[in-house]
Amino acid sequence: MDKLLIQGGHRLQGEVRISGAKNAALPLMCASLLSTDTLRLENVPHLMDITTMLRLLGCMGVEVSMHDGMSVELRAHGLGAPLAPYDMVKTMRASILVLGPLLARCGEARVSLPGGCAIGLRPVDQHIKGLTQMGAQITVEQGYIVARAARLRGARILTDMVTVTGTENLMMAACLADGTTIIENAAREPEVVDLANCLNAMGARVRGAGSDVITIEGVSAMHGATHSIMPDRIETGTFLVAAAATRGQVRLQGADATLLEAVLDKLREAGANIQADAGGISLDMPGRPRSVGLRTSPYPGFPTDMQAQFMALDAIAEGTGVITETIFENRFMHALELQRLGADIEISGNTAVVRGVPALQGATVMATDLRASASLVVAALVAQGETCIERIYHLDRGYESIEEKLSRLGASIRRVQ
Ligand code: EPU
């Protein structure tokens, strides 16, 4: 299994390009199931999760062709069995995103229940509740969600909590339903807006995406489209935090500051100078970062996907930061690994008190999930000596060419077996 070796202590300096967003790409790929025509997606990141989704769609009969490295054409002309098997869903929870489109297009779907994962229980009851309200018959048989509906019908759906993939699944299903669906308490994440824009380009009638009420007027058929995927706001945030931790100066081309205001605010509070324009974001960190306190919440609040990276930043900052995680119940596993590097972190329930130390020391640590692994990279970049990060397949799920990008910025980083 691959490991990353990072020699800490190098300031990040220079320019890199931000990739297309993983969490936008995954639902967008599933949207191809809604039409018999070709959906062309551009700015697709090269990531393990994207490959897994392509394999899953391929198994269902979607024709996949890749172009010039960053574009993918998906044509769901003749679909086979509308089945998402356990082996694929267990490696990537986002596979649940095929449920809504399959049911809407084929009238049936069998999707493995995702089960628990490292960061929490993550049930999919809201996806099931919403589809049931749209008239689907849903049972759970031998670990599979078995859904049937000759034709879904529009409904008013109020989700119990804000759920990103839940909103996306229901929005896609509603596109081909009979009548109008209203999703209340909808997720306002930019990835939901990106999906809605693509669905509308495919002939759907979606209004209100980006607000907490989304209205979808069902249509009888959808057609092909070309859509360019939004930049990855979490990759952007991760590189900005890495640069801030190393007191660096970077420019992230293609990054969009309007997608991560809460993160930029916290970086400014930590002492970073940030300039944003239409072409990207520049950050300059003149000295030791100051601790910041934060509380994760649904968009436009501070994203849970940036919590781990900020914990690494607070670990070497001046002062004490209090971090509260409100989205996932078990998303502090990086704290133990950061402690192995010398961080002073006290966890009580969903709150972490991080007392900044003058320096971390390299050690062997283990990545436990995608964003946890990103926080270990940030910590390793500033630690004295060498850090070995094991299980970096977690990192490969969500960060395109991370070693190349960090090397280009001056980090000493290499992958070994
Ligand atoms: N929840 C339920 N029932 C449901 C759905 C959600 O109880 O039916 C709970 C979850 O357990 C969680 C909360 O609601 O406590 C929010 O979960 P949400 O459904 O919003 O998460 P998700 O859609 O499964 C997406 C991202 C995650 C990101 C979260 C929160 C994708 C593919 N994944 O997950 O990304 O952390 O939203 O913003 O979009 C990552 O990229 O590292 C990652 C984990």
mmCIF file of all heavy atoms in Angstrom, residues 50-78:
data_model
loop_
_atom_site.group_PDB
_atom_site.id
_atom_site.type_symbol
_atom_site.label_atom_id
_atom_site.label_comp_id
_atom_site.label_asym_id
_atom_site.label_seq_id
_atom_site.Cartn_x
_atom_site.Cartn_y
_atom_site.Cartn_z
ATOM 1 N N ILE A 50 -13.909 9.001 -8.835
ATOM 2 C CA ILE A 50 -14.466 9.216 -10.182
ATOM 3 C C ILE A 50 -14.364 7.912 -10.976
ATOM 4 O O ILE A 50 -15.311 7.503 -11.658
ATOM 5 C CB ILE A 50 -13.701 10.358 -10.908
ATOM 6 C CG1 ILE A 50 -13.816 11.661 -10.122
ATOM 7 C CG2 ILE A 50 -14.178 10.523 -12.356
ATOM 8 C CD1 ILE A 50 -15.195 12.256 -10.010
ATOM 9 N N THR A 51 -13.223 7.231 -10.847
ATOM 10 C CA THR A 51 -13.046 5.950 -11.531
ATOM 11 C C THR A 51 -14.073 4.936 -11.023
ATOM 12 O O THR A 51 -14.668 4.191 -11.804
ATOM 13 C CB THR A 51 -11.616 5.419 -11.270
ATOM 14 O OG1 THR A 51 -10.717 6.488 -11.535
ATOM 15 C CG2 THR A 51 -11.272 4.236 -12.127
ATOM 16 N N THR A 52 -14.293 4.927 -9.712
ATOM 17 C CA THR A 52 -15.284 3.997 -9.143
ATOM 18 C C THR A 52 -16.674 4.289 -9.710
ATOM 19 O O THR A 52 -17.405 3.376 -10.095
ATOM 20 C CB THR A 52 -15.319 4.125 -7.593
ATOM 21 O OG1 THR A 52 -13.994 3.989 -7.107
ATOM 22 C CG2 THR A 52 -16.198 3.083 -6.959
ATOM 23 N N MET A 53 -17.020 5.572 -9.803
ATOM 24 C CA MET A 53 -18.343 5.921 -10.330
ATOM 25 C C MET A 53 -18.454 5.547 -11.810
ATOM 26 O O MET A 53 -19.493 5.041 -12.253
ATOM 27 C CB MET A 53 -18.613 7.423 -10.116
ATOM 28 C CG MET A 53 -20.002 7.864 -10.504
ATOM 29 S SD MET A 53 -21.319 7.010 -9.570
ATOM 30 C CE MET A 53 -21.522 8.102 -8.169
ATOM 31 N N LEU A 54 -17.380 5.753 -12.566
ATOM 32 C CA LEU A 54 -17.404 5.378 -13.986
ATOM 33 C C LEU A 54 -17.605 3.870 -14.115
ATOM 34 O O LEU A 54 -18.346 3.404 -14.985
ATOM 35 C CB LEU A 54 -16.096 5.796 -14.688
ATOM 36 C CG LEU A 54 -15.921 7.300 -14.939
ATOM 37 C CD1 LEU A 54 -14.537 7.589 -15.516
ATOM 38 C CD2 LEU A 54 -17.008 7.830 -15.880
ATOM 39 N N ARG A 55 -16.944 3.115 -13.237
ATOM 40 C CA ARG A 55 -17.089 1.644 -13.278
ATOM 41 C C ARG A 55 -18.521 1.252 -12.964
ATOM 42 O O ARG A 55 -19.120 0.401 -13.621
ATOM 43 C CB ARG A 55 -16.151 0.990 -12.267
ATOM 44 C CG ARG A 55 -14.788 0.725 -12.821
ATOM 45 C CD ARG A 55 -14.006 -0.406 -12.144
ATOM 46 N NE ARG A 55 -14.558 -1.029 -10.974
ATOM 47 C CZ ARG A 55 -14.081 -0.870 -9.734
ATOM 48 N NH1 ARG A 55 -13.068 -0.073 -9.517
ATOM 49 N NH2 ARG A 55 -14.619 -1.503 -8.722
ATOM 50 N N LEU A 56 -19.089 1.896 -11.952
ATOM 51 C CA LEU A 56 -20.462 1.576 -11.549
ATOM 52 C C LEU A 56 -21.435 1.881 -12.692
ATOM 53 O O LEU A 56 -22.285 1.056 -13.041
ATOM 54 C CB LEU A 56 -20.828 2.386 -10.294
ATOM 55 C CG LEU A 56 -22.264 2.267 -9.792
ATOM 56 C CD1 LEU A 56 -22.598 0.831 -9.420
ATOM 57 C CD2 LEU A 56 -22.483 3.160 -8.568
ATOM 58 N N LEU A 57 -21.283 3.057 -13.294
ATOM 59 C CA LEU A 57 -22.187 3.430 -14.392
ATOM 60 C C LEU A 57 -21.960 2.497 -15.588
ATOM 61 O O LEU A 57 -22.916 2.079 -16.252
ATOM 62 C CB LEU A 57 -21.970 4.894 -14.792
ATOM 63 C CG LEU A 57 -22.346 5.924 -13.717
ATOM 64 C CD1 LEU A 57 -21.920 7.330 -14.124
ATOM 65 C CD2 LEU A 57 -23.856 5.896 -13.433
ATOM 66 N N GLY A 58 -20.706 2.153 -15.826
ATOM 67 C CA GLY A 58 -20.368 1.232 -16.919
ATOM 68 C C GLY A 58 -21.051 -0.113 -16.725
ATOM 69 O O GLY A 58 -21.604 -0.688 -17.676
ATOM 70 N N CYS A 59 -21.078 -0.611 -15.487
ATOM 71 C CA CYS A 59 -21.730 -1.907 -15.192
ATOM 72 C C CYS A 59 -23.213 -1.868 -15.532
ATOM 73 O O CYS A 59 -23.828 -2.877 -15.824
ATOM 74 C CB CYS A 59 -21.645 -2.217 -13.706
ATOM 75 S SG CYS A 59 -20.059 -2.746 -13.184
ATOM 76 N N MET A 60 -23.795 -0.680 -15.428
ATOM 77 C CA MET A 60 -25.242 -0.553 -15.687
ATOM 78 C C MET A 60 -25.539 -0.371 -17.169
ATOM 79 O O MET A 60 -26.689 -0.218 -17.554
ATOM 80 C CB MET A 60 -25.805 0.664 -14.948
ATOM 81 C CG MET A 60 -25.756 0.504 -13.478
ATOM 82 S SD MET A 60 -26.210 2.083 -12.748
ATOM 83 C CE MET A 60 -25.937 1.669 -11.044
ATOM 84 N N GLY A 61 -24.489 -0.286 -17.970
ATOM 85 C CA GLY A 61 -24.704 -0.155 -19.414
ATOM 86 C C GLY A 61 -24.481 1.247 -19.948
ATOM 87 O O GLY A 61 -24.733 1.504 -21.132
ATOM 88 N N VAL A 62 -24.009 2.167 -19.104
ATOM 89 C CA VAL A 62 -23.721 3.527 -19.598
ATOM 90 C C VAL A 62 -22.424 3.460 -20.419
ATOM 91 O O VAL A 62 -21.435 2.884 -19.981
ATOM 92 C CB VAL A 62 -23.531 4.524 -18.421
ATOM 93 C CG1 VAL A 62 -23.167 5.914 -18.932
ATOM 94 C CG2 VAL A 62 -24.788 4.574 -17.566
ATOM 95 N N GLU A 63 -22.471 3.993 -21.646
ATOM 96 C CA GLU A 63 -21.254 4.020 -22.478
ATOM 97 C C GLU A 63 -20.403 5.201 -22.033
ATOM 98 O O GLU A 63 -20.893 6.328 -21.970
ATOM 99 C CB GLU A 63 -21.616 4.228 -23.952
ATOM 100 C CG GLU A 63 -22.299 3.036 -24.580
ATOM 101 C CD GLU A 63 -22.900 3.408 -25.919
ATOM 102 O OE1 GLU A 63 -22.378 4.318 -26.603
ATOM 103 O OE2 GLU A 63 -23.928 2.798 -26.266
ATOM 104 N N VAL A 64 -19.152 4.915 -21.736
ATOM 105 C CA VAL A 64 -18.262 5.946 -21.207
ATOM 106 C C VAL A 64 -17.137 6.182 -22.201
ATOM 107 O O VAL A 64 -16.502 5.230 -22.647
ATOM 108 C CB VAL A 64 -17.641 5.474 -19.870
ATOM 109 C CG1 VAL A 64 -16.648 6.512 -19.350
ATOM 110 C CG2 VAL A 64 -18.722 5.187 -18.841
ATOM 111 N N SER A 65 -16.896 7.430 -22.583
ATOM 112 C CA SER A 65 -15.679 7.705 -23.369
ATOM 113 C C SER A 65 -14.985 8.932 -22.803
ATOM 114 O O SER A 65 -15.613 9.900 -22.380
ATOM 115 C CB SER A 65 -15.998 7.857 -24.856
ATOM 116 O OG SER A 65 -16.995 8.818 -25.040
ATOM 117 N N MET A 66 -13.655 8.832 -22.770
ATOM 118 C CA MET A 66 -12.839 9.897 -22.176
ATOM 119 C C MET A 66 -12.184 10.689 -23.300
ATOM 120 O O MET A 66 -11.789 10.105 -24.304
ATOM 121 C CB MET A 66 -11.713 9.310 -21.323
ATOM 122 C CG MET A 66 -12.088 8.098 -20.516
ATOM 123 S SD MET A 66 -12.852 8.548 -18.975
ATOM 124 C CE MET A 66 -11.408 9.000 -18.058
ATOM 125 N N HIS A 67 -12.051 11.990 -23.096
ATOM 126 C CA HIS A 67 -11.428 12.837 -24.112
ATOM 127 C C HIS A 67 -10.416 13.758 -23.453
ATOM 128 O O HIS A 67 -10.665 14.258 -22.368
ATOM 129 C CB HIS A 67 -12.481 13.683 -24.832
ATOM 130 C CG HIS A 67 -13.523 12.837 -25.482
ATOM 131 N ND1 HIS A 67 -13.424 12.374 -26.767
ATOM 132 C CD2 HIS A 67 -14.676 12.318 -24.997
ATOM 133 C CE1 HIS A 67 -14.472 11.630 -27.048
ATOM 134 N NE2 HIS A 67 -15.257 11.575 -25.994
ATOM 135 N N ASP A 68 -9.354 14.013 -24.095
ATOM 136 C CA ASP A 68 -8.280 14.936 -23.695
ATOM 137 C C ASP A 68 -8.042 15.006 -22.182
ATOM 138 O O ASP A 68 -7.747 16.052 -21.613
ATOM 139 C CB ASP A 68 -8.519 16.353 -24.277
ATOM 140 C CG ASP A 68 -9.794 17.020 -23.734
ATOM 141 O OD1 ASP A 68 -10.040 16.895 -22.532
ATOM 142 O OD2 ASP A 68 -10.535 17.633 -24.502
ATOM 143 N N GLY A 69 -8.169 13.874 -21.529
ATOM 144 C CA GLY A 69 -7.814 13.788 -20.115
ATOM 145 C C GLY A 69 -8.816 14.382 -19.139
ATOM 146 O O GLY A 69 -8.924 13.916 -18.018
ATOM 147 N N MET A 70 -9.566 15.413 -19.529
ATOM 148 C CA MET A 70 -10.425 16.075 -18.543
ATOM 149 C C MET A 70 -11.908 16.069 -18.884
ATOM 150 O O MET A 70 -12.715 16.611 -18.150
ATOM 151 C CB MET A 70 -9.986 17.529 -18.373
ATOM 152 C CG MET A 70 -8.717 17.672 -17.564
ATOM 153 S SD MET A 70 -8.001 19.268 -17.839
ATOM 154 C CE MET A 70 -8.968 20.284 -16.746
ATOM 155 N N SER A 71 -12.265 15.479 -20.027
ATOM 156 C CA SER A 71 -13.684 15.437 -20.408
ATOM 157 C C SER A 71 -14.145 13.989 -20.481
ATOM 158 O O SER A 71 -13.393 13.118 -20.908
ATOM 159 C CB SER A 71 -13.904 16.078 -21.769
ATOM 160 O OG SER A 71 -13.401 17.375 -21.760
ATOM 161 N N VAL A 72 -15.377 13.781 -20.082
ATOM 162 C CA VAL A 72 -15.956 12.440 -20.119
ATOM 163 C C VAL A 72 -17.313 12.542 -20.791
ATOM 164 O O VAL A 72 -18.101 13.451 -20.482
ATOM 165 C CB VAL A 72 -16.145 11.877 -18.681
ATOM 166 C CG1 VAL A 72 -16.825 10.530 -18.715
ATOM 167 C CG2 VAL A 72 -14.813 11.751 -17.974
ATOM 168 N N GLU A 73 -17.571 11.623 -21.718
ATOM 169 C CA GLU A 73 -18.911 11.549 -22.313
ATOM 170 C C GLU A 73 -19.604 10.315 -21.776
ATOM 171 O O GLU A 73 -19.038 9.220 -21.778
ATOM 172 C CB GLU A 73 -18.810 11.508 -23.836
ATOM 173 C CG GLU A 73 -18.453 12.874 -24.394
ATOM 174 C CD GLU A 73 -18.533 12.953 -25.914
ATOM 175 O OE1 GLU A 73 -18.751 11.906 -26.558
ATOM 176 O OE2 GLU A 73 -18.380 14.065 -26.429
ATOM 177 N N LEU A 74 -20.837 10.527 -21.325
ATOM 178 C CA LEU A 74 -21.619 9.437 -20.747
ATOM 179 C C LEU A 74 -22.911 9.310 -21.546
ATOM 180 O O LEU A 74 -23.634 10.302 -21.708
ATOM 181 C CB LEU A 74 -21.939 9.752 -19.282
ATOM 182 C CG LEU A 74 -20.713 9.954 -18.378
ATOM 183 C CD1 LEU A 74 -21.098 10.720 -17.125
ATOM 184 C CD2 LEU A 74 -20.109 8.616 -18.018
ATOM 185 N N ARG A 75 -23.180 8.113 -22.021
ATOM 186 C CA ARG A 75 -24.393 7.928 -22.822
ATOM 187 C C ARG A 75 -25.156 6.719 -22.271
ATOM 188 O O ARG A 75 -24.713 5.580 -22.418
ATOM 189 C CB ARG A 75 -24.011 7.702 -24.278
ATOM 190 C CG ARG A 75 -25.184 7.606 -25.209
ATOM 191 C CD ARG A 75 -24.732 7.706 -26.651
ATOM 192 N NE ARG A 75 -25.829 7.528 -27.587
ATOM 193 C CZ ARG A 75 -26.083 6.378 -28.208
ATOM 194 N NH1 ARG A 75 -25.322 5.321 -28.016
ATOM 195 N NH2 ARG A 75 -27.109 6.293 -29.038
ATOM 196 N N ALA A 76 -26.266 7.024 -21.605
ATOM 197 C CA ALA A 76 -27.064 5.963 -20.978
ATOM 198 C C ALA A 76 -28.197 5.583 -21.929
ATOM 199 O O ALA A 76 -29.370 5.752 -21.613
ATOM 200 C CB ALA A 76 -27.603 6.454 -19.638
ATOM 201 N N HIS A 77 -27.811 5.088 -23.090
ATOM 202 C CA HIS A 77 -28.821 4.803 -24.122
ATOM 203 C C HIS A 77 -29.595 3.526 -23.777
ATOM 204 O O HIS A 77 -30.789 3.549 -23.524
ATOM 205 C CB HIS A 77 -28.121 4.690 -25.476
ATOM 206 C CG HIS A 77 -29.077 4.429 -26.586
ATOM 207 N ND1 HIS A 77 -29.996 5.366 -26.981
ATOM 208 C CD2 HIS A 77 -29.263 3.334 -27.351
ATOM 209 C CE1 HIS A 77 -30.723 4.856 -27.961
ATOM 210 N NE2 HIS A 77 -30.298 3.634 -28.206
ATOM 211 N N GLY A 78 -28.879 2.415 -23.767
ATOM 212 C CA GLY A 78 -29.546 1.155 -23.417
ATOM 213 C C GLY A 78 -29.051 0.709 -22.059
ATOM 214 O O GLY A 78 -27.945 0.212 -21.938
#
